[in-house]
Structures are given as C-alpha cells and as structure tokens.
C-alpha cells in the first residue's frame, strides 16, 4: 500500500507528440522521469513553481538527466473478452453484482454485458466482496457510463472490477471508490478500458473519460483512443494510458510501480537501449549493418 514511507521519485510521464510543450506541467511537481516525442527540452513546459526531476529539484526547473527524447511506442486497440457474458439490462438504479443465481466462468470471474450504466442521486453500483466481475458496456455512442450526484461505484476489499466501455464515461458524482474505510485497494483492482479503435476514432472522434474519486481514486485506465480527465482534490493511485490526459485539482498522482510487472499488451517493446551520440558509436553499427 502507498504511504510516504515507501514513496520514491520514480514516477513516469510520457508523450508521443512532437509539439512544443506536449507535456505541460504548470505549477505541479513531477518527481521522476519524462519522455517526449520531440528532440529537445522545449517539449516540456513548467511554471514558476513547477518542476520535473528527483526530490530536491528547484522550482521552475527541469532536470535534463531525467528526460529522454524521441520517445515512441505502440498502444494497441483493446479487444473485449472472448468469454460468453451474462447479458443484463441497462443499470439505472442501485445494483450489486454478481447476482446470487449467476455462475462464474471457468476462470472464476463473472462476465456481464450491459448496454449502459446511468444513475444519479444516492445510487450505488457495488460488487460483492471477494468476487471478480468483468463488465462490457456495449453502447458505442454518447455517454454509456454516467454516475452523477451522490452516486458511486464501489469496489470493496478483495473484489475486482474490470470495465470495457465503447462509449464515453462520466463518473462525476462520488466517482469510483476502490477500497473501504478510507484505505484504497491496489489500483489493479479497478481497471477501465476504452474499446474504441483508432480507425473509428479517426472518423467519429476520441472517447471522453471524466473520472473522479471520492477522497481518492485508485485504478488503471487504458484507453489509447480516449481523452481522459481526472478531477478532484483527492489523490490518484495507479496509471493512465490515453490519447490526451488532463489532471485538475489539488490531488497528487502516485504511479504504482508494481503495474509495470502486472500489466501487459500484445505488442512487443524495447527493454534496453543505448543512444549513439558520437560518430565513433555510430560508425561501429553502420559497419555491422552495411550489407
């Protein structure tokens, strides 16, 4: 569990964009590393009291030893689960899953398919403790998951919720409560995936995810074709991959380093690299690759 006693300055933020100030820190503090698609420090901007670097970095400063350039990677589209789901009607009121008469799949998880989730007021969508639920929300247009007012999604300790969403998400009420009694569950216990493909996004636009936590937000968001905003004054624990990320409020974002060993995609990636910065470095490899 996160605490100030285990906190490090190893957070990671990155942008594929080559535009100037593709990462705009403002007056926030990024204690860790930044990777940019551009080739120089102009890809990052900080305000007079912002900073990027290790603990102790001065206000208004970017530590160049913590920045890497020409960042590139691949974020594959998301596929929905192949397991046959239990089809349920739209969720519009207080609901608890799984239903007692439902049976899990062979992997022990409960798979559901629902067209939309929409509620307001003092309404709660919750899971039974100890159960693992995978929910596919199928509506592709408009806001397919919406919780406003005092409504919330509750993931109790020992339960997990994974959501695959084709439309927009607006969790602006009490948001997502992943944990209990003010103690967050591990972020991996709440996973939110945006399933709009890059091809669809190019014609109809990106998904929009607006997420709020009640006191804290603990979770993982993977939505490569969505614009994600995290709002509120509570802290956020986990990781976000998206088309564009915006964080507002006074809360802190704590990257959960264990996610690097937990989450994976179908694409391969570079595990180690070396920048060839001198003519001597490059000439050796040019000779080896001269067929």
């Amino acid at each position: 569990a996160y605490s100030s006693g285990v906190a490090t300055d190893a957070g990671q933020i990155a942008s594929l964009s080559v535009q100037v100030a593709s990462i705009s820190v403002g007056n926030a503090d990024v204690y860790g590393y930044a990777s940019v698609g551009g080739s120089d420090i102009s890809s990052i901007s900080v305000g007079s009291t912002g900073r990027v670097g290790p603990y102790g970095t001065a206000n208004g400063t970017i530590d160049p030893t913590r920045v890497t350039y020409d960042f590139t990677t691949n974020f594959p589209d998301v596929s929905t689960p192949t397991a046959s789901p239990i089809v349920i009607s739209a969720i519009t009121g207080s609901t608890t899953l799984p239903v007692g008469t439902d049976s899990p799949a062979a992997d022990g998880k409960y798979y559901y398919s629902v067209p939309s989730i929409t509620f307001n007021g003092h309404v709660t969508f919750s899971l039974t403790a100890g159960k693992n639920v995978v929910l596919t929300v199928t509506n592709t247009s408009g806001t397919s998951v919406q919780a406003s007012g005092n409504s919330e999604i509750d993931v109790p300790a020992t339960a997990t919720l994974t959501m695959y969403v084709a439309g927009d998400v607006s969790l602006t009420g009490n948001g997502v409560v992943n944990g209990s009694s003010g103690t967050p569950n591990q972020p991996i216990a709440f996973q939110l995936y945006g399933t709009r493909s890059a091809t669809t996004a190019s014609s109809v636009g990106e998904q929009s995810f607006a997420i709020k936590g009640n006191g804290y937000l603990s979770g993982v968001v993977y939505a490569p074709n969505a614009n994600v905003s995290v709002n509120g004054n509570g802290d956020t624990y986990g990781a976000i991959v998206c088309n564009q990320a915006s964080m507002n409020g006074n809360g802190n974002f704590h990257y959960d380093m264990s996610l690097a060993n937990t989450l994976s995609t179908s694409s391969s990636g570079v595990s180690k690299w070396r920048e060839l910065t001198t003519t001597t470095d490059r000439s050796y490899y040019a000779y080896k690759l001269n067929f």
Side-chain angles (χ1 to χ4, degrees), residues 14-17 22 75 198 201 205-209 221-228 240-246:
S15 173
L16 293 170
S17 174
S22 62
F75 298 122
E206 289 82 15
Q207 291 176 269
S208 174
F209 284 13
V221 177
Y222 181 88
N225 302 304
N227 297 325
V228 177
I240 296 174
V241 173
C242 62
N243 176 67
Q244 184 178 53
S246 174

Side-chain angles (χ1 to χ4, degrees), residues 37-239:
S39 58
D40 59 59
I41 205 73
S42 67
S43 295
I44 307 175
S45 69
V46 296
S48 59
T49 60
R51 72 195 89 191
V52 178
Y55 291 140
T57 300
N59 285 343
T61 300
I62 302 171
D63 186 335
T65 67
R66 292 295 187 103
V67 180
T68 57
Y69 304 99
D70 300 321
F71 172 69
T72 183
T73 190
N74 179 47
F75 298 122
D77 292 340
V78 178
S79 299
T80 55
T82 57
S84 298
I86 301 168
V87 179
I88 59 177
S89 58
I91 297 175
T92 58
S94 292
T95 303
T96 300
L97 292 178
V99 176
T101 55
D102 293 338
S103 299
D107 60 3
K109 298 178 180 179
Y110 293 81
Y111 291 85
Y112 293 92
S113 175
V114 59
S116 63
I117 301 174
T118 306
F119 43 67
N120 189 13
H122 294 274
V123 175
T124 300
F125 168 61
S126 60
L127 305 185
T128 301
K131 302 298 184 181
N132 302 314
V133 173
V134 179
L135 195 62
T136 299
V137 186
T138 58
N139 279 1
T140 59
S141 61
T143 304
S144 54
V145 177
Q146 182 170 8
S148 55
N150 293 314
S151 58
E152 63 187 44
I153 294 177
D154 283 349
V155 183
T158 70
T160 67
L161 174 63
T162 303
M163 297 180 68
Y164 294 84
V165 183
D168 295 338
V169 174
S170 179
L171 300 174
T172 58
N174 286 333
V176 179
V177 181
N178 178 21
S180 59
S181 302
T183 302
N185 287 341
Q186 293 292 333
I188 199 69
F190 172 66
Q191 300 179 45
L192 176 61
Y193 293 91
T195 61
R196 183 169 297 176
S197 68
T199 301
T200 301
S202 67
S203 60
V204 303
E206 289 82 15
Q207 291 176 269
S208 174
F209 284 13
I211 310 171
K212 177 183 176 183
N214 181 16
Y216 59 83
L217 172 63
S218 179
V220 175
V221 177
Y222 181 88
N225 302 304
N227 297 325
V228 177
S229 62
V230 179
N231 300 293
N233 296 322
D235 286 1
T236 300
Y237 309 88

